[in-house]
Amino acid sequence: MPNYRMNKTIAGYHLLMILSAVDYRINADEDLVIREYLVHEFPIHVNLDKQMEVISRLKPDEWEPHFLKAMDDFYDDATDAERKNLINFAIMLTKADKVITREENHFLNLLFDHWESQ
């Protein structure tokens, strides 16, 4: 797991990518939501190969600690409106395949519970 601090846009990307992976199924509709987030957050093309490499190297038991770190990094840089916007993307992502799994619900609840308590 990286020990560097992520900026809010990269942290948001990590959050969504992990959320899309926790049910071990990534479908095209979920990919579209992540692409929409990237267009919204990165108006110019950005190479995310390094970030994808970091995420893809995570083992399933490392997802939650990395997710929590990304949540903290995002929270530190984001406004309340930006946090709400990311939560909306996270909800769209979990609904994209028409099934919200127990794992997806758990990670969504981490976002809600952690950010609402701060």
Side-chain angles (χ1 to χ4, degrees), residues 1 5 8-9 11 21 25 32 44 46-47 54 59 62 65-66 76 79 83 89 91 96-97 99 104 110:
M1 189 162 54
R5 190 176 179 297
K8 76 172 182 226
T9 305
R25 292 172 287 175
L32 289 174
I44 57 169
V46 174
N47 185 336
V54 169
K59 297 176 182 86
E62 296 173 320
H66 188 78
D76 288 345
T79 65
R83 287 188 289 276
F89 273 104
I91 291 168
D97 65 357
V99 176
E104 289 170 328
L110 288 174

Side-chain angles (χ1 to χ4, degrees), residues 4-22:
Y4 60 87
R5 190 176 179 297
M6 294 175 267
N7 69 39
K8 76 172 182 226
T9 305
I10 296 298
Y13 176 69
H14 282 238
L15 290 168
L16 294 177
M17 289 300 294
I18 290 171
L19 190 55
S20 73
V22 297

Side-chain angles (χ1 to χ4, degrees), residues 30-44:
E30 290 174 332
D31 187 56
L32 289 174
V33 172
I34 293 170
R35 288 175 189 270
E36 184 179 338
Y37 169 78
L38 293 174
V39 167
H40 184 265
E41 291 296 318
F42 292 111
I44 57 169

Side-chain angles (χ1 to χ4, degrees), residues 14-90:
H14 282 238
L15 290 168
L16 294 177
M17 289 300 294
I18 290 171
L19 190 55
S20 73
V22 297
D23 63 358
Y24 299 96
R25 292 172 287 175
I26 299 174
N27 78 19
D29 293 330
E30 290 174 332
D31 187 56
L32 289 174
V33 172
I34 293 170
R35 288 175 189 270
E36 184 179 338
Y37 169 78
L38 293 174
V39 167
H40 184 265
E41 291 296 318
F42 292 111
I44 57 169
H45 179 72
V46 174
N47 185 336
L48 293 170
D49 290 345
K50 180 180 176 188
Q51 300 308 315
M52 181 49 95
E53 183 179 331
V54 169
I55 295 165
S56 65
R57 287 184 179 190
L58 293 171
K59 297 176 182 86
D61 65 331
E62 296 173 320
W63 289 343
E64 189 168 327
H66 188 78
F67 192 84
L68 292 169
K69 180 189 179 339
M71 280 179 14
D72 287 343
D73 288 352
F74 189 94
Y75 187 93
D76 288 345
D77 289 348
T79 65
D80 187 52
E82 290 168 328
R83 287 188 289 276
K84 287 178 182 172
N85 186 52
L86 182 78
I87 286 174
N88 285 333
F89 273 104

